[in-house]
Amino acid sequence: MSGPNDNFDPKQVAALSVEAIDGFVAEALAAVGAATTTAELKQVRLEHAGDRSPLALANREIGALPPAARKDAGARVGKARGRVTEAIVTRQEELAAQELAAALVAERIDMTLPVEVRPQGALHPITSLIDEMCDVFVGMGWEVAEGPELEAEWYNFDALNLGPDHPARGEQDTLWVEPMGAGKLMRTQTSPVQVRALLTRDLPLYIVSPGKVFRADEYDATHLPVFHQLEGLVVDKGISMADLRGVLDHFAQAMFGEVTIRMRPHYFPFTEPSAEVDIQCFVCHGESGPDKPCRTCRSEGWIEWCGCGVVNPRVLRACGIDPEVYSGFAFGMGVDRTVMFRTGAPDLRDFVEGDIRFSRSAVVGGTR
């Protein structure tokens, strides 16, 4: 067996010389110092610390050295690679900090300025008016009552003195829910809320009940199959038609300003006596005529507003209340047409199209 070959050609391992290693380190450090961004530094890492860098290639040449020379060469190359790696890590931290500081300045947001993050919506004019109406009654000490839209036949008709043969029960007006014999329907008025309140609340009772109602009406400029009502109910001792007139006077002035109302005899099954209430046109104030036409009241000077009356004793008895002790009054009006009166909207179909421009213009135009 021959001994180890201690003779080698220095030219074949020139990359491992002290001068060469120092040169590789100097070039790497210069490149690291010249990098101005983390992206540039990443390229420097590949060129001076990657698998194809000069120091990595020099490290591969160690195997060509005789055993006696490998230890010193390995230590020299390892130290050099450590210096380059340390310099890259230090520079990476410096550049990352600089870029973060620059980003914070460039992306700074002034939190004191108003910013519209997304397009703003608007309350529907019907919602706005219902809120305003309820505020008037809450200010008088009344309560707001709500009930289900899917209602039982007894609450919607029988308890309100609408007998089995009343024409309002027909399919031409009422939307019945299958199966037909179940006695379920979409409420045709908000009066069932009043019946439920009479059955569950203590007397005296002062409530207002707004909400959707459903009828088999045509879908046109003046009719909708789904519309809104607001009804009021008072049951107490000593209540008369005069109290009803005072409440409606106050309510009309709160809604339309200094206006006058009038009451005309009418018939409703659930009130007796009953009346239709007209409000003096709040545009022409009753002064319209052939020479001064008014589109709002059609030059009649009055606008039909709501129905009302003294609660029928039969309704009180159906709810377990003694009409000899208690009396009351009720009224109801359409919210949708009231919005039309106040905003000049020509077509009820605009109310259900979902166009945000209509809601904004209607709110600006008069309901608020």
Side-chain angles (χ1 to χ4, degrees):
M1 179 181 295
S2 60
N5 182 14
D6 294 335
N7 297 319
F8 63 94
D9 186 354
K11 291 182 179 179
Q12 295 180 357
V13 290
L16 293 171
S17 66
V18 175
E19 294 78 8
I21 297 299
D22 290 342
F24 296 154
V25 172
E27 292 177 6
L29 296 179
V32 170
T36 58
T37 65
T38 54
E40 292 179 3
L41 186 62
K42 181 178 180 180
Q43 186 61 36
V44 170
R45 180 184 288 107
L46 293 175
E47 294 176 356
H48 295 278
D51 293 340
R52 304 297 299 173
S53 65
L55 287 174
L57 295 176
N59 189 63
R60 295 178 185 178
E61 297 292 336
I62 295 177
L65 296 175
R70 292 176 187 174
K71 182 177 179 181
D72 291 340
R76 186 164 56 250
V77 173
K79 183 178 179 180
R81 298 182 76 178
R83 290 180 59 192
V84 173
T85 300
E86 183 180 356
I88 292 174
V89 171
T90 302
R91 187 60 176 164
Q92 172 72 28
E93 294 175 354
E94 294 174 354
L95 293 176
Q98 293 175 8
E99 291 180 356
L100 176 60
L104 291 176
V105 173
E107 300 174 7
R108 178 177 177 271
I109 298 176
D110 188 351
M111 301 301 292
T112 64
L113 296 177
V115 178
E116 185 174 329
V117 179
R118 64 188 64 179
Q120 293 184 350
L123 281 177
H124 194 280
I126 291 177
T127 302
S128 298
L129 185 58
I130 288 177
D131 290 344
E132 188 174 348
M133 287 175 158
C134 290
D135 286 345
V136 174
F137 290 98
V138 171
M140 295 191 297
W142 293 33
E143 294 181 273
V144 178
E146 296 181 341
E149 296 175 358
L150 176 61
E151 190 56 272
E153 180 181 9
W154 188 86
Y155 288 103
N156 197 86
F157 292 129
D158 297 278
L160 295 170
N161 198 33
L162 292 165
D165 298 326
H166 197 282
R169 290 179 180 246
E171 293 183 7
Q172 69 272 18
D173 292 323
T174 304
L175 297 174
W176 294 91
V177 177
E178 293 183 345
M180 294 299 294
K184 297 291 185 179
L185 54 93
M186 301 305 294
R187 66 183 183 188
T188 61
Q189 54 200 347
T190 53
S191 300
V193 179
Q194 300 177 357
V195 175
R196 289 177 177 273
L198 288 172
L199 291 170
T200 58
R201 301 192 183 199
D202 296 331
L203 299 178
L205 185 68
Y206 292 78
I207 63 167
V208 61
S209 54
K212 292 180 182 178
V213 297
F214 307 81
R215 294 183 188 174
D217 287 342
E218 296 292 334
Y219 178 67
D220 56 33
T222 57
H223 298 85
L224 294 174
V226 181
F227 53 101
H228 300 76
Q229 285 185 345
L230 182 135
E231 299 191 23
L233 173 68
V234 169
V235 175
D236 201 349
K237 296 179 179 179
I239 298 297
S240 69
M241 201 78 169
D243 299 303
L244 171 61
R245 177 60 185 258
V247 168
L248 293 178
D249 272 331
H250 173 73
F251 186 41
Q253 292 180 15
M255 290 289 99
F256 306 105
E258 293 297 325
V259 295
T260 303
I261 66 171
R262 70 180 184 184
M263 304 177 75
R264 296 179 286 106
H266 198 71
Y267 167 75
F268 297 110
F270 33 85
T271 54
E272 180 61 39
S274 304
E276 283 278 7
V277 178
D278 298 330
I279 183 171
Q280 187 183 59
C281 180
F282 45 83
V283 175
C284 70
H285 300 286
E287 299 177 358
S288 60
D291 299 331
K292 190 178 180 181
C294 177
R295 185 182 67 176
T296 302
C297 67
R298 298 178 182 177
S299 301
E300 295 179 0
W302 297 90
I303 300 171
E304 183 178 318
W305 188 34
C306 71
C308 64
V310 175
V311 178
N312 194 310
R314 292 185 178 181
V315 175
L316 296 178
R317 291 192 187 98
C319 297
I321 298 173
D322 187 355
E324 300 296 328
V325 179
Y326 291 95
S327 59
F329 64 77
F331 60 87
M333 62 200 62
V335 179
D336 308 65
R337 291 190 178 182
T338 305
V339 174
M340 291 184 73
F341 296 156
R342 301 187 73 194
T343 64
D347 196 325
L348 273 177
R349 289 171 292 192
D350 292 335
F351 287 57
V352 296
E353 293 296 330
D355 192 332
I356 187 65
R357 296 171 297 179
F358 170 76
S359 295
R360 287 173 177 165
S361 62
V363 171
V364 173
T367 64
R368 280 292 184 190

